Amino acid sequence: MHYIVFDLEWNQSQNPASSLPELPFEIIEIGAVKLDKNGRIISRFSELVRPSAYPSVNPIIKKVTKLDSAQLKCAPEFPSVCADFLEWCGEDPVFCTWGSGDLMVLRSNIDYHGMEYEFHSPLTYYDVQKLYSLQFADGKERVALETAVEQLVLPHADDFHRALQDAYYTACVWQKLDLKRFGAYLSVDYYALPAEGEYWNFDFGTYTKTVTGSYETKAAAMHDDEICRVRCSRCGEYCDMLVPWFAVSSRYYLTLADCPSHGKMQAKLRWKSLPGGEVFAVKTVKSANKERAEKVRKKYKAFLKGVAKSEREGDENGTSEDGTE
Ligand SMILES: [Zn+2]
């Protein structure tokens, strides 16, 4: 088993109107390092890619990567580079990236070029940026790779934003991670989703995660029992709902539930949009101590206040949301 720490540089259309929905980001460089199970670097991969969808390099990308169209013109095309890369990865690679974007972009480029490669389903990977935050910050903050490298006082030159260098620095951060403590917190790649009526369930020890398939709207998703009901993160039994699901923002819903055996559970639904306008949800459930439970109740009260306020304002304007009054 090998860890493949990879990084991509990509180009995009200079004119948003001519951006291809199936390929918003076109890969122009793949860089990677291979680590053995002990975290030692045993091999490197670095190739430029000749773009075909957006042949001229966006000036912003050029400024960041110092790559220009003329340089890329001489490079091999994506199918050939990617085939070499995937072969170099070997069987059952465990992918590690800085942030959550690279696997999605890699998979969209593979699909765009009609290449076939069997990724695991669900595909899990190590998001080194997230793990860095869990170990060295609050678990929520996301810092730039450069910042992490500086904070860890790792030897470096001023050569960020090229694929191999960034992959190498990500690997250096990876080597500093305490995988015994944080290695369980794998990330899930959402490029492909569960089929209709199926769910991906993960138990990370301190919380559970469920990834749904796609729905036309949030409202349609909320008709799905499996989304609405909350299972205890410890025993998997259905909980009693203590407050109904409520929206904290357009991006996430919250609720508080109770397992007769394990006490209060906080459940969160994070909504994610798909390019076609559909949505899917990522539900997480974790134990809620008194303090956390109180926080959820407070947020629920604030939500109710907000609803009452917007209803009052609706009355003042002589309209209501459903138009019946
Ligand atoms: Zn339970």
Side-chain angles (χ1 to χ4, degrees):
M1 190 272 289
H2 293 122
Y3 297 108
I4 303 294
V5 187
F6 77 95
D7 184 77
L8 306 170
E9 300 305 327
W10 55 69
N11 187 25
Q12 61 196 87
S13 172
Q14 295 185 44
N15 171 13
S18 58
S19 177
L20 303 171
E22 70 277 26
L23 192 81
F25 308 111
E26 183 171 36
I27 295 171
I28 52 174
E29 188 176 40
I30 302 178
V33 296
K34 191 185 279 182
L35 309 176
D36 66 13
K37 63 178 181 357
N38 300 314
R40 273 190 302 254
I41 296 177
I42 51 170
S43 179
R44 290 162 199 251
F45 182 96
S46 176
E47 277 285 359
L48 291 176
V49 180
R50 177 178 173 177
S52 59
Y54 314 120
S56 74
V57 177
N58 188 312
I60 302 163
I61 307 286
K62 188 177 167 183
K63 201 175 162 204
V64 174
T65 62
K66 316 268 187 312
L67 289 168
D68 63 31
S69 312
Q71 243 174 310
L72 297 178
K73 240 185 190 168
C74 313
E77 289 186 326
F78 181 79
S80 137
V81 176
C82 188
D84 286 351
F85 171 61
L86 293 170
E87 200 189 319
W88 173 84
C89 287
E91 266 180 44
D92 287 332
V94 177
F95 293 112
C96 310
T97 57
W98 188 261
S100 60
D102 292 78
L103 262 175
M104 279 210 181
V105 172
L106 178 67
R107 296 179 77 179
S108 67
N109 277 251
I110 286 175
D111 277 358
Y112 177 79
H113 288 279
M115 297 175 67
E116 285 192 7
Y117 182 74
E118 283 281 318
F119 285 99
H120 282 285
S121 177
L123 177 62
T124 54
Y125 66 100
Y126 289 103
D127 176 349
V128 183
Q129 188 186 37
K130 176 176 93 176
L131 297 176
Y132 175 80
S133 179
L134 283 168
Q135 183 168 335
F136 297 102
D138 61 1
K140 289 178 184 159
E141 188 196 9
R142 297 289 184 267
V143 298
L145 177 58
E146 209 168 337
T147 309
V149 165
E150 277 165 10
Q151 286 174 349
L152 292 175
V153 205
L154 298 171
H156 65 280
D158 187 21
D159 56 355
F160 289 88
H161 307 301
R162 285 295 299 274
L164 178 60
Q165 279 84 346
D166 282 3
Y168 169 73
Y169 289 131
T170 303
C172 293
V173 176
W174 165 260
Q175 288 169 333
K176 297 285 176 194
L177 293 176
D178 180 352
L179 290 178
K180 283 204 178 83
R181 274 182 74 199
F182 301 103
Y185 298 109
L186 281 160
S187 292
V188 185
D189 178 52
Y190 301 133
Y191 180 74
L193 291 173
E196 206 185 321
E198 288 178 18
Y199 309 87
W200 290 336
N201 295 304
F202 303 90
D203 186 347
F204 295 118
T206 51
Y207 69 99
T208 59
K209 181 186 269 192
T210 302
V211 181
T212 75
S214 69
Y215 295 85
E216 289 285 317
T217 59
K218 287 181 208 166
M222 291 311 283
H223 277 109
D224 184 337
D225 247 15
E226 200 50 39
I227 295 185
C228 294
R229 298 181 76 180
V230 173
R231 288 174 186 272
C232 171
S233 68
R234 293 176 63 190
C235 69
E237 289 299 315
Y238 285 120
C239 297
D240 300 319
M241 302 297 278
L242 298 177
V243 298
W245 284 104
F246 63 96
V248 177
S249 72
S250 61
R251 306 250 319 266
Y252 86 92
Y253 289 8
L254 207 58
T255 190
L256 191 65
D258 184 62
C259 167
S261 318
H262 299 104
K264 293 189 177 59
M265 296 284 149
Q266 170 192 291
K268 193 188 266 191
L269 276 173
R270 270 186 299 133
W271 296 103
K272 296 185 178 274
S273 307
L274 292 164
E278 304 97 334
V279 294
F280 70 99
V282 178
K283 178 162 73 179
T284 50
V285 181
K286 61 180 168 189
S287 277
N289 58 16
K290 223 173 165 185
E291 198 183 332
R292 199 191 297 271
E294 199 44 49
K295 253 187 188 168
V296 177
R297 288 190 193 280
K298 258 191 188 155
K299 281 185 178 162
Y300 181 55
K301 272 184 198 155
F303 163 79
L304 290 178
K305 256 189 193 166
V307 171
K309 186 168 176 254
S310 68
E311 275 174 1
R312 272 200 310 278
E313 284 167 3
D315 284 349
E316 279 160 20
N317 297 331
T319 54
S320 72
E321 207 167 69
D322 60 5
T324 53
E325 288 167 21

